[in-house]
Amino acid sequence: MVYMCGTDLEANGGMATADLKEMLNARISDNVNIVVETGGAAKWQNSVISNRTNQRYLVSAAGLKLIEDNLGRKSMVDPDTLSDFIRYSKANYPADRYMLVMWDHGGGSLSGYGYDQIYPNDGMTLDEIATALRNGGCAFDLVGFDACLMATLETAMVLEPYADYMIASEEVEPGSGWYYTNWITALSENTSIATIDLGKKLIDEYVQDVKAKTPQSQATLTLIDLAELKGTVPASFAAFASSTSALIDKDDYKTVSNACAGTKEFATSSKINQIDLVHFAQNLNTNESKSFADVLRSCIKYNRTSANITNSNGVSIFFPYGKLSKLGPMLETYDEIGIDDEYSKCIRSFASVNAGGQAVSSGTGSPLETLLGGLSGSATQAAPATGVSGSDVVGLLLNTFLSGGDFSSITGRAGGSSEWLDLERIKNPAQYYEKNRFDASALVITEKNKQRVLALTEEQWDLIQHMEMNVFLDDGEGFIDLGLDNVYEYNKDGDLIMEYDGTWLALNGHIVSYYMETDDRYDETYSTKGRVPALLNGQLVDIIIVFDNQTPYGKVLGAQIKYDAETQTETVAKGLLDIAAGDKIDFLCDYYTYDGDYSDTYYLGEQYTATGDWKIENLAVGRNKYQMIYRLTDIYDNKYWTPSITG
């Protein structure tokens, strides 16, 4: 059963049509039935499938046969649509074994599956997937997601009552998606093939196909034994969560935060808070976490990745770092699908201490203080003086936060209620905050050996998890934000060198805003990926650039569609749009006024007409005045900006 919500993947790129052709190219035996439901696309890139109604087709050696012509225009992210398809397929094409493929966008544990172009701003959440499978009344050998980001522990637990195995991707899938021809042929040649062997065949073909078609793309796909997961994971998962909570309770929040910060993250720019669970457990390095990692590895029967992705071990999980507003909706989903209470308690505790650390921060919410201070020539500290210091500062800031009664800035919910926040958990570690609080007043540039440097104590550097160069252009009315890059250098004393050559990334001679997203390194292999915000023929996108061993000077891979989550979807589209000669590109940038306010996103330079070729280089920012600063991120996800280097 192939549940094919074509959406813009089909309407713009013909990706569903391409996969149907791959199915038709297989040597399909008479005792293998491939039933496909189509829908969800404003346009199909073939002359057969209708965009006016959902339809059902049978894929066989004889071709593509229409078996249900007019089902009505139904939302493909409505669980009733999926369960009806499952019931129909089982009743009309009974079999000894069943497989379900869910084809479309994916958003991981938070957003679930699917984006229907006809019914936007909706998706099939994990609890709704469970409802659809339960009402479908079919026991599956295998359920797979030809969609992004669905290889999560939460997804596996939802599928477990209804399937023996799951196949899914931890990362965003390339546009080609799964390669269907050879594994369908293998199934037809031996319909008794073990599900594990069939899954391995599917995964191998996928990774090889991605390497052949888009070698710079990252690919990862995993096969999980859901029966083994049911028998072994719950107890180990609860022990892992309980021991992690104990670290936080024992004032060892930093250990958990550092373990998370060092863990492989997926769909970074989407801020879905999804990290590799095995890698996280390894980084925590407790007895319980190491045992849990072993249990997970045992359940993962096969996992393959391309060479340019590291620490993708096969299963990810939601963990609330950075954007805490996502925690409330996730906890509600956990209640619906029955995730162990110990894990919910764990992430609530972590997020509460994280919120407390943000409340007592002397960091700033934006770089404006630094930029405006730089105009007057003074070294800018990241926080104003309060008139008190030490533990008094922490106590004052905590009391102000807790007594204010409006926690909407943390929870992201209107009304200001505390919701999931554990207020006692925030209040209790006041001494911990004081001992583990970054001192923004130390952000002062000094000179050493004829170099400008930022010198911090080892204890202060130990509180910093991420550091990025941030460059702004002064256009005479405000500041153009050129983005963030992981470019930095230390001297022999461990001081950050605060020198800047006045250059920034350019595409075909156009200075652009560039944001580094991922940096995968293993032995001598590396792959650094970044994004450039733009409009491509009027469509909001990120132009994706990769630097790796094969293309050390960079390569433009294509454009990732960016959706308005309020009106379209929070899921992530697999694949990239090609940028062809003649396409119109408007590069974008964030803009800040001299009044200290974020203004809006603006065009950066004139509209550019693509040539089909790209030259990536660093160019001088020209006659524009610039300010270069470093953005530091501490263990609570507070942001600090150093004084600026001007030119």
Side-chain angles (χ1 to χ4, degrees):
M1 306 175 200
V2 181
Y3 192 69
M4 185 169 275
C5 181
T7 197
D8 53 348
L9 300 173
E10 171 63 18
N12 297 335
M15 297 178 191
T17 294
D19 281 350
L20 286 170
K21 288 178 179 178
E22 289 175 0
M23 296 175 202
L24 290 165
N25 286 335
R27 295 189 298 276
I28 305 171
S29 61
D30 292 340
N31 60 341
V32 172
N33 291 310
I34 302 172
V35 186
V36 181
E37 177 150 342
T38 60
K43 179 181 179 182
W44 288 81
Q45 299 290 340
N46 60 65
S47 59
V48 177
I49 298 173
S50 172
N51 64 344
R52 296 187 300 274
T53 179
N54 292 33
Q55 296 176 312
R56 289 172 184 153
Y57 291 87
L58 183 67
V59 179
S60 69
L64 191 64
K65 178 183 178 182
L66 180 62
I67 52 178
E68 289 284 328
D69 187 16
N70 190 359
L71 298 170
R73 182 174 276 184
K74 298 179 180 180
S75 170
M76 293 287 281
V77 295
D78 184 337
D80 288 342
T81 308
L82 175 58
S83 57
D84 184 64
F85 171 59
I86 294 171
R87 289 193 299 267
Y88 169 87
S89 299
K90 182 180 179 183
N92 289 276
Y93 300 94
D96 294 323
R97 57 198 305 200
Y98 297 94
M99 176 178 178
L100 172 65
V101 177
M102 298 179 69
W103 191 107
D104 192 13
H105 294 329
S109 297
L110 191 62
S111 303
Y113 158 86
Y115 164 46
D116 187 312
Q117 267 190 311
I118 315 302
Y119 298 92
N121 195 27
D122 194 13
M124 197 182 301
T125 56
L126 293 187
D127 56 302
E128 291 177 320
I129 292 173
T131 297
L133 294 177
R134 181 174 60 252
N135 293 340
C138 184
F140 292 98
D141 273 22
L142 176 65
V143 172
F145 291 90
D146 192 353
C148 302
L149 305 167
M150 296 303 293
T152 72
L153 182 63
E154 295 95 334
T155 308
M157 289 182 165
V158 162
L159 297 191
E160 179 275 316
Y162 314 104
D164 294 333
Y165 294 90
M166 176 181 88
I167 286 183
S169 170
E170 282 191 282
E171 187 53 281
V172 176
E173 283 193 357
S176 55
W178 292 7
Y179 181 69
Y180 287 84
T181 303
N182 292 346
W183 68 264
I184 290 177
T185 297
L187 174 62
S188 294
E189 291 174 346
N190 177 16
T191 54
S192 297
I193 185 174
T195 307
I196 288 180
D197 293 335
L198 182 64
K200 288 180 177 180
K201 178 74 173 175
L202 189 160
I203 292 171
D204 286 342
E205 295 290 343
Y206 166 74
V207 174
Q208 291 166 12
D209 187 60
V210 170
K211 184 177 181 180
K213 292 177 178 175
T214 55
Q216 267 77 35
S217 295
Q218 294 182 328
T220 174
L221 206 58
T222 189
L223 173 70
I224 297 177
D225 185 328
L226 299 177
E228 183 171 343
L229 180 141
K230 178 184 179 181
T232 62
V233 163
S236 184
F237 184 35
F240 161 78
S242 179
S243 67
T244 305
S245 295
L247 288 174
I248 301 168
D249 292 339
K250 294 174 183 176
D251 285 348
D252 205 359
Y253 164 91
K254 186 168 71 170
T255 294
V256 182
S257 180
N258 285 341
C260 177
T263 296
K264 175 66 178 178
E265 180 185 0
F266 302 100
T268 310
S269 63
S270 298
K271 296 181 172 60
I272 62 172
N273 293 5
Q274 202 153 289
I275 59 175
D276 185 88
L277 184 51
V278 174
H279 194 207
F280 180 41
Q282 289 173 325
N283 288 343
L284 273 174
N285 200 35
T286 64
N287 290 334
E288 293 83 358
S289 70
K290 288 186 287 187
S291 176
F292 183 46
D294 290 340
V295 168
L296 290 171
R297 288 192 195 93
S298 180
C299 295
I300 297 168
K301 296 307 177 184
Y302 198 59
N303 177 56
R304 273 198 67 182
T305 70
S306 52
N308 57 0
I309 185 170
T310 57
N311 297 311
S312 178
N313 295 286
V315 62
S316 56
I317 198 167
F318 173 89
F319 195 84
Y321 52 93
K323 196 172 183 180
L324 299 180
S325 61
K326 300 292 187 182
L327 179 55
M330 195 71 255
L331 288 173
E332 291 170 3
T333 298
Y334 282 180
D335 286 341
E336 293 289 338
I337 65 177
I339 290 292
D340 189 90
D341 287 344
E342 284 296 332
Y343 187 67
S344 293
K345 292 176 185 176
C346 171
I347 59 179
R348 280 189 62 212
S349 182
F350 178 86
S352 295
V353 176
N354 185 288
Q358 292 180 19
V360 303
S361 163
S362 57
T364 55
S366 80
L368 268 296
E369 288 182 30
T370 289
L371 298 179
L372 295 170
L375 287 175
S376 63
S378 61
T380 303
Q381 295 181 3
T386 62
V388 290
S389 61
S391 58
D392 291 336
V393 173
V394 171
L396 176 63
L397 292 171
L398 267 182
N399 288 333
T400 300
F401 174 68
L402 293 170
S403 62
D406 183 358
F407 304 101
S408 57
S409 63
I410 300 293
T411 64
R413 300 287 184 94
S417 67
S418 58
E419 280 197 0
W420 50 262
L421 280 168
D422 184 339
L423 300 184
E424 285 300 312
R425 196 69 198 81
I426 293 174
K427 185 177 180 179
N428 289 340
Q431 291 183 339
Y432 181 82
Y433 294 139
E434 172 57 29
K435 292 178 181 177
N436 296 275
R437 180 171 175 264
F438 185 77
D439 180 11
S441 67
L443 294 175
V444 177
I445 295 176
T446 58
E447 187 169 309
K448 183 182 289 187
N449 299 325
K450 298 182 179 181
Q451 275 187 328
R452 289 170 291 189
V453 299
L454 175 67
L456 299 175
T457 66
E458 184 176 341
E459 290 76 15
Q460 288 291 290
W461 278 125
D462 196 41
L463 295 171
I464 298 300
Q465 292 178 336
H466 302 291
M467 183 164 58
E468 299 128 316
M469 176 189 284
N470 201 179
V471 175
F472 294 82
L473 298 184
D474 181 351
D475 70 353
E477 297 181 7
F479 300 103
I480 298 168
D481 186 355
L482 289 184
L484 296 160
D485 202 358
N486 64 336
V487 177
Y488 49 84
E489 185 179 357
Y490 298 96
N491 64 15
K492 63 180 181 180
D493 296 326
D495 305 324
L496 176 65
I497 298 174
M498 295 290 298
E499 299 291 346
Y500 176 56
D501 64 2
T503 68
W504 195 252
L505 190 137
L507 295 177
N508 288 1
H510 295 254
I511 298 285
V512 296
S513 291
Y514 171 78
Y515 296 84
M516 194 281 294
E517 291 293 322
T518 61
D519 189 27
D520 287 276
R521 296 176 183 271
Y522 180 73
D523 292 337
E524 299 299 319
T525 301
Y526 73 94
S527 178
T528 302
K529 187 167 64 175
R531 62 184 180 89
V532 173
L535 293 176
L536 176 63
N537 300 321
Q539 168 75 58
L540 182 63
V541 300
D542 282 329
I543 296 174
I544 304 300
I545 303 173
V546 66
F547 302 86
D548 58 20
N549 297 77
Q550 285 71 45
T551 55
Y553 298 106
K555 179 177 181 178
V556 172
L557 297 187
Q560 178 80 53
I561 296 175
K562 299 292 289 182
Y563 297 106
D564 178 352
E566 293 184 1
T567 60
Q568 296 182 77
T569 180
E570 291 189 88
T571 58
V572 179
K574 61 184 176 184
L576 302 174
L577 301 177
D578 291 331
I579 303 175
D583 284 344
K584 304 298 183 183
I585 299 174
D586 294 286
F587 297 113
L588 302 177
C589 65
D590 289 342
Y591 190 80
Y592 299 86
T593 69
Y594 286 158
D595 293 329
D597 299 319
Y598 164 72
S599 175
D600 207 340
T601 297
Y602 285 87
Y603 297 132
L604 181 56
E606 299 296 321
Q607 186 177 78
Y608 173 68
T609 301
T611 64
D613 296 315
W614 293 100
K615 182 178 182 181
I616 303 169
E617 58 187 331
N618 273 29
L619 294 179
V621 296
R623 298 179 180 178
N624 295 291
K625 296 179 181 178
Y626 65 75
Q627 294 199 48
M628 186 282 288
I629 55 183
Y630 278 96
R631 189 180 80 171
L632 312 181
T633 304
D634 74 3
I635 60 174
Y636 310 107
D637 200 53
N638 295 312
K639 311 297 182 186
Y640 306 84
W641 279 266
T642 68
S644 64
I645 300 299
T646 61

